[in-house]
C-alpha cells in the first residue's frame, strides 16, 4: 500500500478538498483564541477530526486504483464515526450541561471506542467483505475516476449507529427552537437546519448516489456546518459566553437602558426601561416625551453629566451616554447611543435628608445658649459657635490658630488664683480627658480683657475607627452667678455666725436667769409653808406659779439653743411607755379638771412593752402636745392614745375639741417663736417654741408627725416614733 501514500492525480476535487481542509484547520486555530463557551472541547475535537476526514477524502479523490480508494475510504471511518459523536456531545453540553456532567466517563468511552471498532471493521474488510462488498468497483463520472462502493451490513450498522447521535443532536436543537427564550429561538432554528444538513447530504448520497466531484458530499456538508457554527459562536450572543454575559446584563440590569439612533429615534430598550416609560416590547418607534429633552441633549452633544438629575414618574436618574461608533470608518457621526439611567431617587433623598440634618444641627449649634468649641488632637480650635465667640470675645473663622493652652487666656481659678500644674492639666485634657462636668475657671475675655468666670463641660470625641481624637467643650459664662453665689455664701456664713451667737447668748442668759430663779422659787415654796394669812398665801402662790412658768420658758429656750447648736444628745435606755403616759396623766389631770375638761389617757396592750429611747424627751413631747391641747380647749375633752403599728413603731395621737386651726396656720406651728396668729399669743400666752421643739425631737428620733385641724372643730396630732423594743422585751 505504499503506492497509496502519494497522490496519483491532482484535479479540481483534490483542490477543493484541500481548500476545505485548510479552512477547517484555520477555523480550529482561530476559534481557540476566542472566548470560552459550553462544549468547546468537543467542538475543537470535531474540527480536528473533520480536518483528518477531509485529508483522507483528498487522498481518496487523488487515487486512481480501486485498492487505494478502498484504503483511504477505510482510513476515514474512525473520523467519520468521531465527528457526529463529538458533535452530539457538543450539543448535549450546551443544552444540558448539568446532565452532561453526570455522564463524563460514558461519553469518553463512546467518543473513543466506536472509532476504534470502525477502524478494525474497515481494516479487516478484506477478510469478511461485510463492510464493502465484492461489488465495489471503479466508475467514471463526469470525467473523474470514482469508487462505487458495495455497502455491506456492517456499513449500514455503523451508519445506523451514527444516525443515533446525529438524530439526538437534531432533536436537541429542535427542542431548543421550541423551549428557548423567544429572543434565542431563531438561533436554535438555524442550528437545527445546520445540524440536519449533513444528514440530508448523507442520505442523498446513500439513496440517490448524489456526489460532489464524484465523492460522498457528507464530509463537505459537515465542514460547512462546522465553519458556519464557528462563525455563529463568535458572532452570535447565544453561543459566545462574553456576548451572553452582555445580553444578560442588558436584560437583567435593574437600571433602565435605552438605545437610540442617530436621528434620536428609539431602537430598543431593556425591560426596566420599558416598564418605566410604559412602552411595548416591540423595538423601534418614537422616543417618549419624558425622554425627548434628554435625547436632544445627547444627539446635539450638549449632555452635561454633572447636571440636574432627570425626573421621570417621581423618580430621579443620572444619565450615562455611551456612543456607538461606526464599524467601518471612525469619522462622522455615531450610529447611535446607549443611555443608562441610574436611579438616584433614594440616594438623593438620603443626601437631602442628611444635608437638612446637618443644617439643622449647625443651626442648633449656632443658636445654642451654650458656647460650643471643638478641639483637635493638638488642642487647637476647629469649631466655635456664636455663643462661644461672644463668651471668649473672639471671632473664629479658621484663619487664625487659637489654642487652649495660649498664655493670653491667663487661665486662673474662679477667684483669680493661679492653678497648680496648669500646663500638665491642659495637656492631659487634650490627650483625651474623661468627661468633665461644671469645672469652673476664670480667663481673660479677648475683646476687652475682662476676667470672666466660666463653667466647662467637656467630653472626648473619636470619629470612626482609627479616627483622630477630639474634644468637645461646652462653655457658659457664670460670672454673675458665681458672684451672686459668693455673696449668698458670705450672707449664710454671717447668718450662721449670728445664729450661733444668738444661741450662745440665749444659753448663757437662760443659765444666768435660771440660777436666781430657782432661788426665788425655793424661797416661795418655803414661804408658802409658813404663811397662814389667805391673802398673803395667794400672793405667794402667784409668785410661785409665775416663777414656774418662767422656768418652763427658760427650759424651752435652752433646749432650742442646744438643738440649733447640735449639742442636744438623746439617750437610748430601756423605759416603760406606760409609766411615761401615767406621769403625763397625773400632771395634767388636775389642770384639765380645773377647766372642766374630760382628759383620757389610753395605752394599748401592744404598746406597753419596754422600748429603747430617751424617756425624758418622749415625756417632753407628750407634755407639750397635751399642754397645747388643754390650753386651746375651752370645753369638751382631750385624749391621749398610745398604740403600736404593724411595724412595731409607737403611734401617739393627741386630740382635742378646741379652737382648731386653718391650713395656713397648721403650716406655721412648727416655726420657732411663732404661733397660729398674734391673737393666740395675747389670749393664751406662750413663746411659740413648744411645737418647734417637738418637731426637732421627733426628727432626731427619725419619726414622723402630722397635724389635722379645722377652725372650731378641734385638732388631732399624730406622731410615729420607730423606737425599738428593749432587749428584754424583744
Amino acid at each position: 500500500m505504499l503506492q497509496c501514500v502519494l497522490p496519483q492525480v491532482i484535479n479540481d476535487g483534490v483542490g477543493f478538498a484541500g481548500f476545505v481542509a485548510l479552512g477547517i484547520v484555520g477555523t480550529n486555530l482561530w476559534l481557540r483564541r476566542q472566548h470560552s463557551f459550553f462544549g468547546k472541547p468537543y467542538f475543537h475535537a470535531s474540527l480536528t477530526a473533520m480536518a483528518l476526514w477531509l485529508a483522507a477524502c483528498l487522498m481518496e479523490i487523488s487515487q486512481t486504483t480501486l485498492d487505494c480508494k478502498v484504503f483511504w475510504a477505510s482510513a476515514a471511518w474512525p473520523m467519520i464515526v468521531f465527528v457526529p459523536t463529538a458533535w452530539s456531545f457538543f450539543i448535549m453540553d450546551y443544552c444540558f450541561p448539568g446532565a452532561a456532567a453526570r455522564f463524563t466517563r460514558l461519553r469518553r468511552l463512546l467518543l473513543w471506542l466506536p472509532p476504534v471498532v470502525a477502524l478494525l471493521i474497515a481494516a479487516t474488510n478484506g477478510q469478511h467483505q461485510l463492510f464493502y462488498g465484492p461489488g465495489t468497483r471503479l466508475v467514471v463520472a463526469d470525467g473523474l475516476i470514482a469508487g462505487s462502493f458495495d455497502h455491506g451490513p456492517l456499513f449500514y450498522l455503523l451508519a445506523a449507529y451514527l444516525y443515533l447521535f446525529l438524530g439526538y443532536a437534531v432533536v436537541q436543537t429542535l427542542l431548543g427552537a421550541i423551549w428557548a427564550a423567544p429572543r434565542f429561538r431563531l438561533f436554535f432554528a438555524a442550528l437545527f437546519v445546520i445540524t440536519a444538513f449533513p444528514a440530508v447530504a448523507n442520505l442523498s448520497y446513500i439513496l440517490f448516489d448524489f456526489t460532489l466531484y464524484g465523492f460522498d458530499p457528507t464530509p463537505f456538508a459537515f465542514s460547512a456546518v462546522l465553519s458556519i457554527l464557528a462563525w455563529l459562536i463568535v458572532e452570535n450572543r447565544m453561543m459566545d459566553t462574553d456576548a451572553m454575559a452582555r445580553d444578560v446584563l442588558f436584560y437583567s440590569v435593574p437600571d433602565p437602558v435605552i438605545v437610540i439612533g442617530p436621528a434620536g429615534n428609539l431602537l430598543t430598550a431593556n425591560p426596566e426601561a420599558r416598564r418605566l416609560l410604559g412602552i411595548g416590547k416591540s423595538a423601534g418607534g418614537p422616543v417618549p416625551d419624558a425622554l425627548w429633552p434628554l435625547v436632544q441633549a445627547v444627539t446635539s452633544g450638549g449632555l452635561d453629566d454633572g447636571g440636574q438629575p432627570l425626573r421621570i414618574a417621581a423618580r430621579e436618574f443620572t444619565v450615562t451616554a455611551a456612543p456607538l461608533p461606526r464599524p467601518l470608518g471612525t469619522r462622522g457621526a455615531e450610529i447611535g447611543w446607549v443611555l443608562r439611567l441610574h436611579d438616584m431617587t433614594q440616594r438623593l433623598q438620603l443626601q437631602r435628608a442628611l444635608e437638612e440634618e446637618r443644617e439643622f444641627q449647625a443651626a442648633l449649634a449656632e443658636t445654642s445658649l451654650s458656647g460650643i468649641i471643638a478641639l483637635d488632637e493638638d488642642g487647637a480650635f476647629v469649631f466655635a459657635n456664636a455663643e462661644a465667640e461672644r463668651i471668649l470675645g473672639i471671632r473664629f473663622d479658621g484663619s487664625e490658630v487659637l489654642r487652649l493652652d495660649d498664655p493670653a487666656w491667663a487661665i486662673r481659678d474662679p477667684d483669680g488664683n493661679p492653678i497648680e500644674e496648669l500646663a500638665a492639666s491642659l495637656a492631659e485634657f487634650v490627650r483625651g480627658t474623661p468627661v468633665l462636668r461644671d469645672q469652673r475657671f476664670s480667663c481673660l475675655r479677648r475683646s476687652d480683657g475682662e476676667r470672666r468666670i466660666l463653667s466647662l463641660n467637656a467630653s472626648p470625641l473619636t470619629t470612626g475607627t482609627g479616627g483622630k481624637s477630639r474634644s468637645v467643650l461646652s462653655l457658659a459664662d457664670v460670672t454673675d452667678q458665681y458672684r451672686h453665689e459668693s455673696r449668698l455664701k458670705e450672707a449664710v456664713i454671717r447668718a450662721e455666725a449670728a445664729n450661733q451667737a444668738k444661741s450662745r447668748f440665749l444659753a448663757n442668759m437662760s443659765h444666768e436667769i435660771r440660777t436666781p430663779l430657782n432661788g426665788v422659787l425655793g424661797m416661795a415654796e418655803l414661804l408658802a409653808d409658813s404663811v397662814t394669812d389667805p391673802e398673803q398665801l395667794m400672793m405667794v402662790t402667784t409668785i410661785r406659779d409665775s416663777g414656774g412658768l418662767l422656768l418652763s420658758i427658760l427650759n424651752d429656750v435652752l433646749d432650742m439653743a442646744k438643738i440649733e447648736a447640735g449639742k442636744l444628745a438623746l439617750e437610748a435606755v430601756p423605759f416603760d411607755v406606760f409609766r411615761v403616759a401615767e406621769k403625763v396623766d397625773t400632771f395634767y389631770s388636775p389642770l384639765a379638771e380645773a377647766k372642766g375638761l374630760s382628759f383620757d389617757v389610753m395605752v394599748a396592750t401592744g404598746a406597753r412593752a419596754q422600748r429603747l429611747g430617751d424617756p425624758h424627751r418622749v415625756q417632753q413631747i407628750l407634755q407639750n402636745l397635751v399642754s397645747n391641747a388643754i390650753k386651746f380647749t375651752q370645753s369638751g375633752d382631750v385624749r391621749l392614745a398610745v398604740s403600736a403599728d404593724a411595724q412595731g413603731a409607737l403611734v401617739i395621737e393627741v386630740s382635742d375639741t378646741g379652737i382648731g386651726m386653718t391650713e395656713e396656720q397648721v403650716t406655721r406651728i412648727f416655726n420657732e417663736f411663732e404661733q397660729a396668729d398674734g391673737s393666740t399669743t395675747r389670749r393664751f400666752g406662750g413663746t411659740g417654741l413648744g411645737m418647734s421643739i417637738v418637731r426637732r425631737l421627733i426628727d432626731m428620733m427619725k419619726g414622723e408627725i402630722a397635724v389635722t385641724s379645722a377652725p372650731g372643730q378641734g385638732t388631732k396630732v399624730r406622731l410615729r416614733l420607730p423606737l425599738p423594743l428593749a432587749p428584754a422585751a424583744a
Side-chain angles (χ1 to χ4, degrees):
M1 293 295 174
L2 292 178
Q3 69 275 13
C4 299
V5 175
L6 296 176
Q8 297 176 4
V9 295
I10 302 297
N11 52 29
D12 294 342
V14 173
F16 178 72
F19 174 77
V20 175
L22 290 177
I24 291 296
V25 172
T27 300
N28 197 10
L29 295 176
W30 170 69
L31 193 61
R32 287 183 182 275
R33 296 194 298 270
Q34 306 304 316
H35 296 288
S36 178
F37 54 89
F38 293 121
K40 186 174 182 179
Y42 289 109
F43 197 85
H44 280 297
S46 298
L47 288 174
T48 302
M50 191 68 251
L52 294 176
W53 187 2
L54 288 172
C57 292
L58 182 151
M59 293 304 297
E60 182 182 348
I61 295 173
S62 68
Q63 302 301 317
T64 58
T65 62
L66 181 62
D67 290 340
C68 288
K69 285 187 178 292
V70 172
F71 171 79
W72 285 110
S74 301
W77 265 97
M79 306 307 142
I80 295 173
V81 174
F82 191 94
V83 169
T85 306
W87 171 259
S88 64
F89 289 163
F90 158 72
I91 297 296
M92 178 186 290
D93 266 4
Y94 181 76
C95 295
F96 302 102
R102 295 195 297 268
F103 300 103
T104 302
R105 293 183 179 179
L106 177 61
R107 292 198 299 169
R108 288 177 181 174
L109 180 65
L110 293 177
L111 187 64
W112 296 104
L113 182 59
V116 173
V117 172
L119 177 62
L120 293 175
I121 292 175
T124 58
N125 184 67
Q127 285 74 33
H128 53 72
Q129 297 288 310
L130 296 176
F131 194 71
Y132 292 137
T136 301
R137 66 188 188 280
L138 289 176
V139 295
V140 177
D142 299 328
L144 298 175
I145 300 175
S148 176
F149 294 93
D150 180 14
H151 297 138
L154 290 182
F155 174 89
Y156 289 106
L157 182 62
L158 275 179
Y161 172 78
L162 294 181
Y163 271 101
L164 289 176
F165 287 94
L166 196 58
Y168 170 82
V170 170
V171 170
Q172 292 305 315
T173 55
L174 180 61
L175 292 178
I178 298 173
W179 292 344
R183 60 179 178 272
F184 300 135
R185 288 176 183 172
L186 182 61
F187 170 80
F188 270 107
L191 189 61
F192 167 75
V193 173
I194 292 172
T195 304
F197 181 63
V200 172
N202 186 254
L203 289 175
S204 300
Y205 169 70
I206 294 175
L207 299 177
F208 306 108
D209 290 330
F210 176 77
T211 62
L212 187 63
Y213 293 103
F215 194 77
D216 182 0
T218 304
F220 302 106
F222 258 118
S223 298
V225 165
L226 292 176
S227 299
I228 294 173
L229 189 59
W231 177 81
L232 287 176
I233 287 173
V234 176
E235 297 297 329
N236 191 283
R237 67 184 67 186
M238 184 65 184
M239 303 302 294
D240 185 355
T241 305
D242 182 62
M244 290 170 61
R246 291 194 299 269
D247 185 83
V248 170
L249 183 63
F250 178 79
Y251 283 98
S252 62
V253 67
D255 292 335
V257 180
I258 302 162
V259 182
I260 60 174
N265 57 308
L266 178 65
L267 297 180
T268 186
N270 72 342
E272 181 63 21
R274 292 197 297 268
R275 186 189 64 79
L276 174 67
L277 300 174
I279 57 180
K281 295 184 178 181
S282 59
V287 172
D289 294 339
L291 284 182
W292 183 242
L294 171 65
V295 172
Q296 284 183 317
V298 172
T299 55
S300 63
L303 179 65
D304 182 7
D305 293 339
Q308 292 295 323
L310 176 67
R311 287 182 172 271
I312 301 177
R315 294 166 62 184
E316 296 179 280
F317 301 87
T318 57
V319 182
T320 302
L324 297 176
R326 293 180 177 275
L328 296 176
T330 57
R331 296 181 180 180
E334 292 83 356
I335 63 172
W337 290 268
V338 177
L339 307 182
R340 179 189 176 189
L341 310 183
H342 183 57
D343 193 342
M344 299 287 290
T345 306
Q346 186 175 10
R347 178 178 176 181
L348 291 175
Q349 289 175 349
L350 292 176
Q351 183 177 346
R352 294 188 187 109
L354 180 60
E355 290 175 355
E356 291 176 358
E357 182 67 19
R358 287 177 176 173
E359 291 175 358
F360 175 70
Q361 292 179 356
L364 284 180
E366 284 300 319
T367 58
S368 173
L369 297 180
S370 297
I372 300 175
I373 298 173
L375 304 178
D376 64 12
E377 66 275 10
D378 297 323
F381 285 35
V382 295
F383 172 79
N385 71 344
E387 182 65 11
E389 292 178 346
R390 187 194 67 80
I391 292 174
L392 299 177
I394 61 174
R395 185 66 179 173
F396 181 73
D397 56 6
S399 60
E400 179 185 1
V401 178
L402 294 178
R403 298 181 59 83
L404 186 65
D405 55 1
D406 190 341
W409 297 115
I411 297 177
R412 301 285 189 272
D413 68 9
D415 296 325
N417 301 316
I419 301 176
E420 296 182 2
E421 300 181 355
L422 175 61
S425 299
L426 292 177
E428 182 181 358
F429 175 81
V430 170
R431 282 195 302 268
T433 180
V435 175
L436 298 179
R437 299 185 185 276
D438 196 22
Q439 297 293 313
R440 297 192 174 187
F441 65 96
S442 65
C443 68
L444 296 181
R445 187 162 56 190
R446 291 288 183 91
S447 58
D448 55 11
E450 180 183 354
R451 180 166 292 278
R452 305 296 293 179
I453 301 171
L454 308 181
S455 172
L456 169 67
N457 294 282
S459 65
L461 175 65
T462 301
T463 56
T465 303
K468 296 182 179 180
S469 297
R470 298 187 177 184
S471 300
V472 178
L473 285 63
S474 174
L475 298 176
D477 190 334
V478 295
T479 305
D480 297 336
Q481 176 185 345
Y482 184 81
R483 292 171 180 170
H484 181 65
E485 290 174 354
S486 298
R487 288 193 293 268
L488 289 178
K489 288 179 181 178
E490 293 174 358
V492 169
I493 292 173
R494 289 194 299 269
E496 290 177 349
N499 188 53
Q500 291 176 0
K502 178 202 71 174
S503 298
R504 287 194 300 269
F505 172 76
L506 291 175
N508 292 334
M509 288 299 296
S510 299
H511 179 72
E512 294 297 330
I513 295 173
R514 184 160 32 178
T515 300
L517 182 58
N518 284 331
V520 171
L521 291 175
M523 289 292 113
E525 191 72 29
L526 293 175
L527 185 59
D529 293 337
S530 61
V531 173
T532 58
D533 183 52
E535 185 177 355
Q536 292 179 348
L537 182 59
M538 182 185 67
M539 290 187 290
V540 172
T541 302
T542 301
I543 293 172
R544 187 177 60 184
D545 291 344
S546 298
L549 179 59
L550 181 58
L551 182 61
S552 175
I553 293 173
L554 289 174
N555 287 335
D556 286 347
V557 172
L558 185 59
D559 285 343
M560 182 58 67
K562 287 182 179 180
I563 291 173
E564 289 182 346
K567 295 182 179 181
L568 182 65
L570 297 178
E571 293 183 324
V573 298
F575 71 96
D576 192 336
V577 178
F578 180 79
R579 295 291 182 189
V580 173
E582 190 177 37
K583 290 180 182 180
V584 174
D585 183 27
T586 301
F587 186 80
Y588 285 100
S589 288
L591 296 176
E593 185 178 353
K595 293 187 68 173
L597 302 176
S598 172
F599 179 54
D600 297 323
V601 177
M602 295 173 289
V603 180
T605 304
R608 297 194 177 196
Q610 286 196 335
R611 302 277 175 160
L612 279 178
D614 192 328
H616 173 67
R617 297 303 176 184
V618 173
Q619 182 176 337
Q620 183 179 359
I621 291 172
L622 296 180
Q623 287 177 341
N624 273 318
L625 296 177
V626 173
S627 175
N628 282 342
I630 293 175
K631 181 193 299 184
F632 296 110
T633 302
Q634 300 301 316
S635 62
D637 58 77
V638 175
R639 293 183 180 182
L640 168 63
V642 183
S643 61
D645 63 11
Q647 288 75 34
L650 279 180
V651 177
I652 300 171
E653 290 186 355
V654 178
S655 59
D656 61 61
T657 58
I659 61 175
M661 294 177 289
T662 64
E663 291 184 5
E664 190 273 333
Q665 290 172 335
V666 169
T667 62
R668 294 190 288 109
I669 63 173
F670 295 113
N671 297 339
E672 291 86 352
F673 304 103
E674 190 169 343
Q675 291 187 337
D677 57 33
S679 63
T680 302
T681 304
R682 294 190 298 269
R683 181 179 175 187
F684 297 100
T687 61
L689 289 174
M691 292 303 291
S692 178
I693 292 174
V694 168
R695 182 179 64 85
R696 296 290 187 94
L697 291 175
I698 292 174
D699 289 343
M700 293 176 68
M701 296 179 187
K702 302 186 183 307
E704 302 170 359
I705 184 170
V707 178
T708 304
S709 182
Q713 298 182 13
T715 301
K716 177 186 287 188
V717 180
R718 186 180 188 275
L719 57 94
R720 182 178 182 275
L721 299 177
L723 300 176
L725 295 173

